[in-house]
Amino acid sequence: MASHGFWSLGGDNAGTNTGSQSPSTPRAWCQAAAQKLSGGIGSKLCALLNVGEVEKTADPAAKQPPQTAAGSCGCNKPCTCTKPDVVFSDLYSTDLLPALDGDTKTMTFLQEVVDLLLAYIVESFDRETKVIDFHYPNELLQLNNWELQDEPATLDDILISCRATLKYAIKTAHPRYFNQLSTGLDMVGLAADWLTSTANTNMFTYEVAPVFVLLEYVTLKKMREIIGWPDGRGDGIFSPGGAISNMYAMLLARFKMFPEVKEKGMSSVPRLAAFTSEHVRPQKINDQTHFSIKKGAAALGIGTESVISLCCLVLVQGFVPFFVSATAGTTVYGAFDPLIAISDICRKYNVWMHVDGAWGGSLLMSGRHRWKLDGVERANSVTWNPHKMMSVPLQCSALLVREEGLMQNCNQMHACYLFQQDKHYDLSYDTGDKALQCGRHVDIFKLWLMWRAKGTIGFEAQIDKCLELSEYLYNKIKDREGYQMVFDGKPQHTNVCFWYLPPGIRYMEDKEEQKKRLHKVAPVIKARMMEYGTTMVSYQPQGDKVNFFRMVISNPAATFEDIDFLIEEIERLGHDL
């Protein structure tokens, strides 16, 4: 078994499941950590590992407010430093900075919060802990007092709320969490997110976010170079997610063809048609492109009926084609559209070509897999979500645009209270007027800092590993008894779609009855996964196909052993169905 780095401190069996799912299970590596880590941090982490066990108590007197004895700092060695006596049950948020003499109380309070977070991080990577401590909504509402009140809560209550929130949160960093396209937790990215929140600024002008604006400029240019646009020229922006990035692309395509629409509206243009080409595998299995294209059409006043999903582009009477969204890595099957062929058609009819690479765009970082996006350099715009395959903390989605200045012309409104034209620096770094948002979150720093920490080769290795794991899963189950692949052939991305047929329906002669019963299998197994807390995998129907598992791998913490565990767990939880 490959080493897990820090997590292997407890011995060779650190990555195995002993069968216990209790978050309070003793961990052998705690003792090793206490010895190896300076400053007593190992002992502190081990002591904090029961952080998630605090639940609401009806008796306020039963609360144990965190206290620290004067003269003791927790260093676990002789020292002269002291940690002040702080009783959080007597303190409120108004006692923290900017209150006078609030610095010590603030630092002590925030240290308590950091201790909670560090313990949660450690738990999240421990395979002996649950992925989820599942409760039904009505139960969870009753377990804790979540209601907002007129009177302020004490800082002790605030810490209890923090503990409860983490206790019932999904451990998305857990090596056996496979439920979404965005999984895992990168430590450098997390540190960057903490720094970003501490800086607490807005991305609309250079004057309020000088470093972040420059980092966005540098990073977007690098991403455009990787796409293949000459010298990285063009434009781009980080948006709240792939759906918004796709809508930006549609907005730009409409403006490019009909600039008058900005002032005169949709009544000034003919009826438009946007195409979302479906990828058709050799086995004639269609995979829908992302729903965000229809959402964008609805939001922009184009209408969902103007979004046409076809296997090939056709001219529709009464419509003017203006936009084609090709998909690089579909959400369900992980399929890639033939970008070169689509770009030829777009050029022939002078239609904007967009590549939705929210899921598959990160394969551009891999020398082994970037061929799947051959032709992406011909696109007018590309959506690329680093918060998926690159495991950048949510949210981090980029829209890259080939034509420089188009975003500014399309979206600027010349708000003079923000974008004064007589500022003393280069106004091109005031990015706010090219965005639809005024307030824009700083999403760039976590990606930039992770890129600095890993280098391009580090991201490449991370992405290649995830694809190796998906191929391993495919090879394990394609001929395994009780499993049936949704489509034949090796997946193009990390999506592995399959049915598990329990022994009770495996050999049924009545195929219609088998299909009805198979439709119920994945939901029941998924529910049991969540109730036991052992793992999480998504499922869904697709067209005329009954519910199947859609396994996706983007978590850098996952290993071959975790894939083996998943297979065995599906069989354990579904054998009686």
Side-chain angles (χ1 to χ4, degrees):
M1 182 185 300
S3 170
H4 296 289
F6 171 78
W7 313 115
S8 63
L9 282 170
D12 294 336
N13 63 344
T16 60
N17 192 320
T18 64
S20 171
Q21 295 298 328
S22 172
S24 60
T25 301
R27 295 165 183 82
W29 54 261
C30 278
Q31 287 73 29
Q35 295 174 1
K36 293 190 176 185
L37 299 179
S38 62
I41 187 64
S43 299
K44 291 183 72 176
L45 287 177
C46 292
L48 286 162
L49 279 173
N50 63 353
V51 64
E53 298 306 305
V54 178
E55 295 187 8
K56 182 186 71 173
T57 175
D59 182 10
K63 296 177 183 175
Q64 300 296 325
Q67 300 186 31
T68 303
S72 172
C73 68
C75 285
N76 205 27
K77 61 181 180 181
C79 65
T80 58
C81 56
T82 60
K83 186 175 179 181
D85 227 350
V86 177
V87 180
F88 292 119
S89 58
D90 297 333
L91 296 177
Y92 294 86
S93 63
T94 50
D95 294 306
L96 304 178
L97 289 174
L100 292 176
D101 301 322
D103 51 349
T104 299
K105 297 169 187 175
T106 298
M107 292 176 66
T108 307
F109 171 73
L110 291 180
Q111 185 60 58
E112 292 290 336
V113 175
V114 169
D115 288 345
L116 294 177
L117 298 177
L118 291 176
Y120 182 78
I121 292 167
V122 171
E123 278 197 333
S124 294
F125 287 93
D126 185 352
R127 289 168 174 81
E128 292 184 4
T129 63
K130 292 183 176 182
V131 176
I132 175 177
D133 184 2
F134 178 76
H135 291 75
Y136 289 98
N138 60 325
E139 296 174 340
L140 193 53
L141 282 171
Q142 296 172 11
L143 279 173
N144 289 272
N145 180 13
W146 307 104
E147 296 299 323
L148 297 173
Q149 301 172 341
D150 293 335
E151 296 300 316
T154 67
L155 294 183
D156 185 42
D157 290 324
I158 297 304
L159 290 171
I160 289 173
S161 295
C162 290
R163 293 188 184 96
T165 300
L166 290 178
K167 172 177 172 56
Y168 301 112
I170 310 298
K171 292 182 174 66
T172 58
H174 198 288
R176 292 171 180 166
Y177 176 78
F178 305 106
N179 203 66
Q180 308 298 142
L181 303 183
S182 303
T183 62
L185 181 63
D186 184 271
M187 296 301 102
V188 174
L190 176 63
D193 225 2
W194 288 355
L195 186 148
T196 296
S197 294
T198 303
N200 191 33
T201 193
N202 197 315
M203 284 294 288
F204 46 38
T205 63
Y206 176 84
E207 68 180 279
V208 298
V211 176
F212 296 135
V213 166
L214 292 179
L215 295 183
E216 184 173 72
Y217 172 84
V218 168
T219 306
L220 289 172
K221 182 175 185 293
K222 181 68 173 179
M223 296 173 80
R224 292 192 298 266
E225 290 174 356
I226 291 173
I227 287 173
W229 293 335
D231 300 320
R233 291 193 298 270
D235 207 342
I237 200 167
F238 282 87
S239 80
I244 301 300
S245 292
N246 288 341
M247 187 176 72
Y248 264 118
M250 190 176 290
L251 179 69
L252 294 174
R254 184 180 65 177
F255 178 80
K256 178 69 174 177
M257 184 172 285
F258 299 103
E260 65 272 20
V261 74
K262 179 178 178 179
E263 294 182 356
K264 298 180 179 179
M266 287 296 293
S267 62
S268 66
V269 301
R271 188 164 188 187
L272 304 178
F275 292 87
T276 59
S277 61
E278 289 182 340
H279 182 90
V280 183
R281 305 188 66 87
Q283 296 77 21
K284 303 298 183 184
I285 296 178
N286 291 353
D287 185 5
Q288 295 175 350
T289 50
H290 202 268
F291 65 86
S292 60
I293 302 302
K294 283 194 173 183
K295 278 198 170 186
L300 296 176
I302 297 168
T304 59
E305 291 184 356
S306 296
V307 178
I308 303 168
S309 297
L310 294 176
C311 302
C312 57
L313 302 182
V314 296
L315 296 179
V316 182
Q317 187 174 4
F319 288 77
V320 175
F322 80 106
F323 178 81
V324 172
S325 177
T327 308
T330 54
T331 304
V332 182
Y333 295 146
F336 289 76
D337 280 327
L339 302 183
I340 293 176
I342 292 174
S343 70
D344 288 341
I345 297 173
C346 289
R347 288 183 178 184
K348 179 179 179 179
Y349 293 102
N350 195 29
V351 176
W352 182 285
M353 178 184 172
H354 174 65
V355 174
D356 179 2
W359 175 223
S362 296
L363 269 61
L364 289 167
M365 306 285 281
S366 168
R368 190 184 308 173
H369 296 282
R370 70 165 289 138
W371 63 269
K372 298 170 185 177
L373 291 97
D374 282 352
V376 67
E377 71 281 355
R378 300 186 180 189
N380 298 95
S381 57
V382 177
T383 291
W384 180 349
N385 284 11
H387 68 229
K388 293 180 177 174
M389 276 300 289
M390 296 168 71
S391 292
V392 176
L394 287 159
Q395 61 194 23
C396 189
S397 174
L399 174 73
L400 294 312
V401 183
R402 190 169 62 188
E403 182 177 338
E404 190 172 1
L406 184 63
M407 292 192 73
Q408 187 81 6
N409 292 333
C410 178
N411 297 322
Q412 67 181 351
M413 291 297 166
H414 305 287
C416 60
Y417 72 97
L418 284 176
F419 309 114
Q420 301 91 341
Q421 297 304 298
D422 52 359
K423 291 182 179 181
H424 62 292
Y425 58 82
D426 184 348
L427 297 181
S428 67
Y429 290 102
D430 281 0
T431 60
D433 216 11
K434 69 180 180 182
L436 291 177
Q437 305 162 256
C438 180
R440 189 161 66 91
H441 187 262
V442 177
D443 293 328
I444 180 56
F445 189 62
K446 49 201 171 187
L447 171 58
W448 179 86
L449 201 65
M450 284 177 63
W451 209 322
R452 294 275 284 196
K454 295 175 184 286
T456 305
I457 61 172
F459 275 127
E460 179 178 22
Q462 175 180 313
I463 291 164
D464 287 349
K465 176 194 170 187
C466 290
L467 283 145
E468 288 172 9
L469 290 174
S470 68
E471 185 173 354
Y472 176 78
L473 172 61
Y474 168 73
N475 289 330
K476 287 271 292 189
I477 65 175
K478 64 185 177 67
D479 297 319
R480 188 182 181 98
E481 184 179 8
Y483 290 84
Q484 182 178 334
M485 308 309 298
V486 174
F487 56 84
D488 295 330
K490 187 173 70 173
Q492 294 179 297
H493 206 340
T494 70
N495 309 51
V496 182
C497 300
F498 61 92
W499 289 284
Y500 171 69
L501 286 75
I505 68 172
R506 198 169 295 170
Y507 307 108
M508 291 182 65
E509 294 182 0
D510 188 337
K511 298 306 178 185
E512 283 301 314
E513 180 62 23
Q514 183 189 54
K515 188 175 180 180
K516 288 181 182 179
R517 292 180 60 178
L518 180 59
H519 186 64
K520 301 177 182 179
V521 169
V524 172
I525 293 177
K526 172 65 176 290
R528 292 177 177 180
M529 285 178 178
M530 296 179 68
E531 289 167 359
Y532 281 101
T534 53
T535 186
M536 286 180 67
V537 181
S538 182
Y539 73 87
Q540 69 167 84
Q542 179 79 4
D544 61 351
K545 291 168 176 57
V546 299
N547 282 321
F548 56 85
F549 287 109
R550 183 204 64 163
M551 172 71 171
V552 288
I553 303 172
S554 61
N555 191 339
T559 65
F560 295 109
E561 290 80 8
D562 295 315
I563 303 301
D564 293 337
F565 174 86
L566 172 71
I567 296 170
E568 295 167 3
E569 189 69 355
I570 288 175
E571 294 171 359
R572 182 182 77 87
L573 297 175
H575 74 280
D576 63 331
L577 298 178

